Each structure stands twice: as C-alpha cells, then as structure tokens.
Amino acid sequence: MGGIISGEKCDAGNKTTGFVLMGDLLPDFLIIGGQKCGTTTLYFDLLASPQVYFPNDKEPGNLAYSDVLGKAGKSDYAHLYKGARRGQRRGDASTLYTMLENSERAAWHANQILGKEIDVFYVIRDPLDRIRSQYRHYWSTGSEDRPIDIAVLDDPEYVLRSSYAYQLKPWRDLFSDRVHVIQFETLIAQRCETANRIARILGIAPYGENIEREHVYNASEDRQSLGVGWKLFQGSQIYRNVLRPILSPQMRRRVRKRLLPPAPRPPSDELSESTVRELVSRLSKDLTKHSEVLGMAPWTVQSLLDAHLKTVS
C-alpha cells in the first residue's frame, strides 16, 4: 500500500525510468486533493520539471462528470493535452475528485478511461488547520460571512472535506498502491526532498533544486481580490483564446499579484475551545480509518485536542 511520502536527498542524481508516451493524450497521473491541503503548491513544484505537462487550467475536473466516458467527452479531455511533448508525464490536478459527492464517481471514471496503472497523489493536512484555511478561502471569495465558530459547525462541508479516509477510500479500492499520500506539513518542510521522491515515482529526473521553495501557493492569506472587472476580463475571448494560452501559470500568478489588491480576510479565524472539541468529535470516526486507508495515522483525537486546545489557551 502506498503510504505517506517522505523526503529524500535533494542531490538524488538524474536517473529516470525512461517513461515512454503511449496511447491517447490523456493524463497518466492525478493530484486528487484534498482541498486547501497544498495541492497548488504541489502543482507548481511539478511545473518546475520540464518532463511534466499540465493543461492551462489547473483543475479541469473532467473525471467528475459522466460525459468523459463518451467519445466526445474523452476527446475534449484529450484535447487539453495536445501541447504535451513526447515523453512528458501528463497531470490533472483537480481537488474536485475527492470531494465526497464526486469521489466514487471520479475514481470509477478514472479507472475506466485511464486504467489502473496511473499514479494518484493525495495531499492531507492537519484536519482543523484545513478547516480554518477553507473558511479563510471562502471568506476571501465572498461566499462566507458568518463567524467561524458558527460556519464550520453549521455547514457539514467543512468536516466532510477534512474526512480524508472517506474521501480517499474509493480511490484506494480501485488503485491500491498506486495511490501516494503526501502530508502537507512534510511537503512544506521538505519541499526539495518531497519533489525528488515524487520524481522517482513518476520516473522523471529530480527537479527539487528547480522549485521556488520560498513560495507556498494559493495560501488563503496571500490571495488577491478578483473584482467584477477582472472576472469579466478572464471570461473574455481575447483572454481565454489569446493571452491565457501563451502565459504560463507562474506568469499569470505574478500578474494577478502585481495588479490586484489583497483579498478580504475574516475578523478572526480562531476556533473556540468548544468548537475544537466538537470538530474533533465529528472527525473521530474518520480518524480511526486513517491507518487502513491512508497507510498511516498522522493524527489521533488526542493529538488534535492537544495541538489545538494549546493554541486556544
């Protein structure tokens, strides 16, 4: 069973397994989540390798919908990879694939059209830290305005998105040890080493020395405010058909950061003691499944209480 990815030395050499491009231009590895667990950082780190290709849209999400199984849907999916060069590994980084309402369906679709030999990466994070990050993200987009203690208990989505075992189980059942779990805290602390471990799994040259280790991408506190004018511009034909295809994801990020103001932040994102206890209680059943499904149990009820009640006090 694939387990938590740990780092290895940054000077890991240049040996690859000589991956050969075969079949239709469809992805041969996936980053499936979880939401607000560092998938954007993993995505940008992988872009540092010339042997990796992603579509212009980081999260195409095609596998969440049944039309991908038809001829036209599969053709549309393959069209996203028309720019891939021979020998490049082709990735799809869509957190939509492990949101509980989609997880079983997306895993089955992936199995049907991509086969069982694809590599699947899943990033996990301290469940309560992830909930707080999701809350900050929703606040920054204007889709949340309630105090955090009310929002995260009233809306079951917050707990469900931190229920990693339940989200991952359909993927583990179908792809077994081709599922590789990465812990966010390790990814951030050991960026170069984790990158080279992933390179070895994908059969590409180590790329850890190429990544921008000082950046944690898509952090909620580092988001820009996307006003109506910017959204209209992004939806325009000139942007989507002319500018976006020639601007790399890194360049688009730099432009947004330079031109747009910071996104709004909530008055507080601190959880009260009673909310911490209630969230951990709601997560407790999922925590017992971590060892079986994730291949490791990074957190227990007690460790989460110890960590987050210490923060509250």
Side-chain angles (χ1 to χ4, degrees):
M1 175 182 291
I4 299 291
I5 290 183
S6 58
E8 57 186 41
K9 293 183 178 179
C10 285
D11 58 347
N14 294 305
K15 183 178 180 181
T16 74
T17 60
F19 179 81
V20 178
L21 182 68
M22 298 178 68
D24 292 328
L25 286 179
L26 289 167
D28 50 53
F29 76 93
L30 304 172
I31 301 172
I32 60 172
Q35 184 195 32
K36 306 309 297 179
C37 287
T39 59
T40 302
T41 294
L42 178 59
Y43 161 81
F44 274 106
D45 285 357
L46 277 158
L47 280 175
S49 169
Q51 293 178 276
V52 171
Y53 180 88
F54 283 101
N56 276 330
D57 288 318
K58 169 186 173 272
E59 303 204 26
N62 296 58
L63 293 171
Y65 306 102
S66 58
D67 60 0
V68 76
L69 298 175
K71 184 176 180 179
K74 185 176 179 181
S75 177
D76 288 343
Y77 197 22
H79 185 73
L80 299 176
Y81 297 88
K82 65 178 182 178
R85 299 191 307 272
R86 180 174 180 81
Q88 282 185 305
R89 296 299 302 258
R90 303 176 302 279
D92 174 349
S94 299
T95 59
L96 188 64
Y97 296 159
T98 47
M99 294 178 184
L100 277 176
E101 62 273 23
N102 299 313
S103 189
E104 186 171 349
R105 179 172 63 248
W108 189 78
H109 292 165
N111 180 60
Q112 291 297 301
I113 72 167
L114 304 179
K116 289 183 175 290
E117 299 306 309
I118 60 168
D119 288 297
V120 178
F121 296 94
Y122 184 58
V123 191
I124 60 174
R125 178 183 189 177
D126 177 299
L128 269 62
D129 285 345
R130 196 218 62 79
I131 287 172
R132 293 175 61 220
S133 182
Q134 181 184 349
Y135 174 77
R136 291 192 297 269
H137 172 76
Y138 282 0
W139 186 282
S140 75
T141 63
S143 57
E144 182 63 87
D145 60 4
R146 297 168 293 179
I148 188 169
D149 287 323
I150 294 175
V152 301
L153 296 182
D154 281 359
D155 189 342
E157 179 184 299
Y158 285 100
V159 168
L160 289 174
R161 300 278 168 85
S162 278
S163 299
Y164 304 131
Y166 287 97
Q167 289 189 107
L168 190 61
K169 190 176 187 304
W171 292 88
R172 180 68 81 187
D173 288 345
L174 287 172
F175 295 97
S176 188
D177 60 0
R178 304 293 296 208
V179 175
H180 312 283
V181 180
I182 305 170
Q183 193 169 338
F184 170 81
E185 292 80 4
T186 301
L187 171 64
I188 299 306
Q190 302 177 26
R191 292 277 288 281
C192 175
E193 297 88 346
T194 303
N196 288 339
R197 170 61 176 159
I198 293 170
R200 189 168 70 83
I201 292 170
L202 293 178
I204 60 177
Y207 60 92
E209 292 293 345
N210 301 335
I211 65 178
E212 298 183 47
R213 278 171 277 182
E214 68 275 16
H215 292 302
V216 177
Y217 296 94
N218 203 32
S220 298
E221 59 273 17
D222 194 37
R223 290 179 60 84
Q224 281 70 53
S225 180
L226 306 181
V228 174
W230 184 263
K231 291 178 180 177
L232 287 173
F233 172 66
Q234 283 186 313
S236 69
Q237 292 297 312
I238 190 169
Y239 176 79
R240 297 199 65 83
N241 297 333
V242 179
L243 294 176
R244 186 181 178 90
I246 64 174
L247 294 176
S248 70
Q250 296 94 326
M251 181 59 69
R252 297 199 299 268
R253 176 183 174 275
R254 293 189 186 103
V255 169
R256 286 196 303 269
K257 197 169 182 66
R258 180 173 290 273
L259 296 180
L260 299 176
R265 300 181 65 177
S268 173
D269 64 352
E270 297 297 327
L271 299 166
S272 69
E273 178 178 344
S274 62
T275 299
V276 167
R277 292 187 182 279
E278 179 61 26
L279 288 173
V280 172
S281 175
R282 295 183 188 186
L283 288 164
S284 59
K285 184 177 179 181
D286 190 77
L287 292 171
T288 66
K289 302 290 185 180
H290 280 193
S291 182
E292 173 191 347
V293 180
L294 304 181
M296 185 178 180
W299 306 281
T300 64
V301 165
Q302 192 58 53
S303 72
L304 288 175
L305 289 174
D306 289 346
H308 291 277
L309 291 182
K310 184 185 298 183
T311 302
V312 170
S313 62

